[in-house]
Amino acid sequence: MAQKPLRLLACGDVEGKFDILFNRVRAIQKKSGNFDLLLCVGNFFGSTPDAEWEEYKTGIKKAPIQTYVLGANNQETVKYFQDADGCELAENITYLGRKGIFTGSSGLQIVYLSGTESLNEPVPGYNFSPKDVSSLRTMLCTTSQFKGVDILLTSPWPKYVGNFGNSSGEVDTKKCGSALVSSLAMGLKPRYHFAALEKTYYERLPYRNHIVLQENAQHATRFIALANVGNPEKKKYLYAFSIVPMKLMDAAELVKQPPDVTENPYRKSGQEASIGKQIPAPVEESACQFFFDLNEKRGRKRSSTGRDNKSSPHPKQPRKPPQPPGPCWFCLASPEVEKHLVVNIGTHCYLALAKGGLSDDHVLILPIGHYQSVVELSAEVVEEVEKYKATLRRFFKSRGKRCVVFERNYKSHHLQLQIAQPGTAYFYVELDTGEKLFHRIKKNFPLQFGREVLASEAILNIPGKSDWRQCQISKEDEETLARRFRKDFEPYDFTLDD
């Protein structure tokens, strides 16, 4: 049975004209039937008085459809978006957040990036930076199974989007728009990309995401820029479309090319510079501390690169990794860390046995620097995290075991990837079959949820170990387990390759 398509509406700058928008939506639904979602890009709030908004905020009026909006593009409207992680603004109206991924119950995947481009750090609440874009790309594009996303929502147009395409009217896409958004669109390969801010409507011809005769066929991308609500020129500000989530589509159907498809506007062509060269690379943090060797040669220092510090009398001093604002049990340089549980140290990450583990080989992957979640990691750190995960899967498989990776970014100050993996609270699970589960936490969430599920009778059948505090053993026993794990893991230790 074919999957029933979702019916969606996309809207440009609302600019506080809520009644005009929602009355128009009601008229459309009365004529054409109900839609599932309304997605708003550009300026949702305007410079108009708040009286109209107050009626929606207090419940006097209600949006006729579940509406998701992007955040502020200027200082004036930052006040409406108090929670950077996203929140409900009024009944049926939800702010998605500064950046992130929204996955519906249908499997529809929407990536969103609020604000306008800024190349300076730190960025104010109405801008995004190269680091924000890099983290979104890293979050999605590092897996070999990644094919693209269903929808990308940004407020600015992507720079150069008009290359190889139909005319964009008065908007010069070589000068207007964001090069960072172009980079994001190039990496994420959205099937639909919506933007606004230019007060005009532009539906670009669909473009390819592959190189003909050199790469396997991939789906096409449709870029649609929408005008402002209630504009006197009657330019299109609402766009209706139907979509079946990519993950539910037949592969051959997904990659069918429209007859009017063009080349990718962001790809290098002829003498033009590639889009990647237009994007300033985010500064990567690197480690600078020295740590004890985990082999028997305890008298020698080893740098965090894994090499002996002998070759250069004046070694380059890299910058320190992010530091915690206060005491942290997981920062390797912190006095709070129980270093006898550390079983392996890489360049950017380390492995440690879990305190009160579910099993003798329950380990944590932790960044050496202070990061709260995977979303905040630099590209180098993410690469090493992935390397540790792949290595641990091989290690456990060789011992006839399976592993589960999970991360809870909720009331947690330091990233802990547990093997037993734009500030949104979430719970993430990765199975050794390749399946990934993501849950966005909006309110209260059990802090030991992952552990409780694994300890349940349905999985490990050790319900008595659901609370780590009930599983603590002596320091001597912990040291014994750590020595055993180091010895068993040594044949798989990629940090010794240098």
Side-chain angles (χ1 to χ4, degrees), residues 1-8 32-36 105-108 191 241-246 248-249:
M1 183 177 176
Q3 172 69 27
K4 184 180 179 181
L6 296 167
R7 304 180 74 227
L8 308 184
S32 306
N34 288 339
F35 283 75
D36 296 290
S105 58
S106 63
L108 185 77
R191 293 165 66 197
F241 65 110
S242 298
I243 185 171
V244 174
M246 179 186 294
L248 302 179
M249 289 187 68

Side-chain angles (χ1 to χ4, degrees), residues 101-131:
I101 309 160
F102 174 83
T103 303
S105 58
S106 63
L108 185 77
Q109 195 170 52
I110 302 172
V111 175
Y112 54 90
L113 179 66
S114 293
T116 56
E117 176 180 312
S118 173
L119 301 181
N120 300 314
E121 294 276 5
V123 295
Y126 53 89
N127 287 144
F128 57 81
S129 69
K131 187 176 180 180

Side-chain angles (χ1 to χ4, degrees), residues 206-269:
Y207 64 82
R208 296 187 187 94
N209 283 298
H210 64 279
I211 302 175
V212 177
L213 301 180
Q214 295 184 36
E215 298 175 334
N216 293 332
Q218 298 179 42
H219 59 272
T221 293
R222 289 171 168 81
F223 172 76
I224 296 114
L226 294 160
N228 49 312
V229 170
N231 65 87
E233 299 86 2
K234 298 191 182 301
K235 294 178 181 178
K236 189 170 184 175
Y237 64 83
L238 265 180
Y239 185 91
F241 65 110
S242 298
I243 185 171
V244 174
M246 179 186 294
K247 64 183 296 183
L248 302 179
M249 289 187 68
D250 175 74
E253 186 67 25
L254 177 64
V255 301
K256 278 185 178 178
Q257 302 295 295
D260 54 353
V261 70
T262 76
E263 291 301 320
N264 191 307
Y266 317 122
R267 197 182 300 280
K268 185 176 180 180
S269 175

Side-chain angles (χ1 to χ4, degrees), residues 410-453:
Y410 177 68
K411 296 187 178 180
S412 173
H413 298 290
H414 191 112
L415 166 64
Q416 309 158 49
L417 279 182
Q418 309 209 27
I419 308 294
Q421 160 183 111
T424 299
Y426 61 81
F427 186 81
Y428 176 78
V429 180
E430 208 172 288
L431 306 180
D432 58 6
T433 58
E435 293 175 274
K436 298 178 181 180
L437 308 172
F438 180 89
H439 172 69
R440 180 168 177 174
I441 301 170
K442 292 189 176 180
K443 293 186 179 180
N444 295 331
F445 188 81
L447 296 183
Q448 298 297 326
F449 176 76
R451 186 182 178 106
E452 289 170 1
V453 170

Side-chain angles (χ1 to χ4, degrees), residues 365-385:
I365 304 176
L366 303 113
I368 290 171
H370 186 79
Y371 298 90
Q372 183 173 349
S373 69
V374 164
V375 177
E376 297 179 0
L377 298 182
S378 67
E380 287 180 330
V381 183
V382 168
E383 182 179 355
E384 190 163 275
V385 167

Side-chain angles (χ1 to χ4, degrees), residues 1 15 79 123 167 191 194 286 304 341 345 372 430:
M1 183 177 176
E15 296 182 332
K79 62 183 180 181
V123 295
S167 172
R191 293 165 66 197
F194 294 98
S286 54
S304 61
L341 293 174
I345 300 175
Q372 183 173 349
E430 208 172 288

